[in-house]
Amino acid sequence: EESDKEAVLCEEWKDYKTFLKWYDENTYQLDGEKVSVSYRILNPDNHYISPETCVIIPQSVARMYLGRGYGERVYNQKLALETIENKYKDKIPKAVYDRIMQSAKKEGAE
């Protein structure tokens, strides 16, 4: 099954300093909420972890996408997108918001 595939880390991020530099350049603060790196929000079937496939998003949104249980594939893309649109549009970086919305249109998830 697709969701059981193991994720593959890109070569450049195998050097932790390179990943850290990307993280530092792309991370942001949200009042009272943690953010996390997600490689599946732009494409739920993605298994490649790289600067092009990852975004930093609020953890609550990541949980909606990936389900709460470990390894459980219960994600609600529509709800996650509505939450981003309604709750986070002006709080997350515009570039991140635009990438997510653009990829959602491609996936036909509107």
Side-chain angles (χ1 to χ4, degrees):
E1 189 185 317
E2 271 294 299
S3 62
D4 294 337
K5 270 172 62 179
E6 212 165 292
V8 177
L9 184 64
C10 71
E11 282 304 311
E12 71 181 287
W13 277 5
K14 286 181 181 172
D15 174 3
Y16 186 65
K17 279 192 229 102
T18 310
F19 166 76
L20 215 49
K21 184 178 187 298
W22 176 88
Y23 185 85
D24 288 342
E25 288 169 359
N26 290 279
T27 196
Y28 51 91
Q29 299 296 314
L30 271 185
D31 285 342
E33 181 154 9
K34 288 189 165 90
V35 294
S36 60
V37 177
S38 173
Y39 64 92
R40 310 241 328 251
I41 197 150
L42 297 176
N43 172 2
D45 295 320
N46 178 53
H47 288 88
Y48 189 63
I49 302 170
S50 72
E52 294 73 39
T53 60
C54 289
V55 287
I56 296 176
I57 57 167
Q59 276 187 354
S60 60
V61 174
R63 278 196 300 274
M64 277 176 223
Y65 247 73
L66 304 172
R68 278 171 181 68
Y70 185 72
E72 186 188 335
R73 178 119 190 239
V74 186
Y75 67 90
N76 189 333
Q77 193 178 24
K78 197 171 185 313
L79 182 62
L81 289 168
E82 282 169 10
T83 302
I84 286 171
E85 223 166 353
N86 301 328
K87 186 177 175 187
Y88 294 109
K89 184 176 183 178
D90 300 320
K91 294 180 181 168
I92 64 175
K94 186 180 182 331
V96 173
Y97 176 84
D98 290 348
R99 271 186 87 187
I100 292 168
M101 290 304 149
Q102 197 178 352
S103 94
K105 286 189 178 86
K106 257 189 245 157
E107 295 275 317
E110 305 176 78

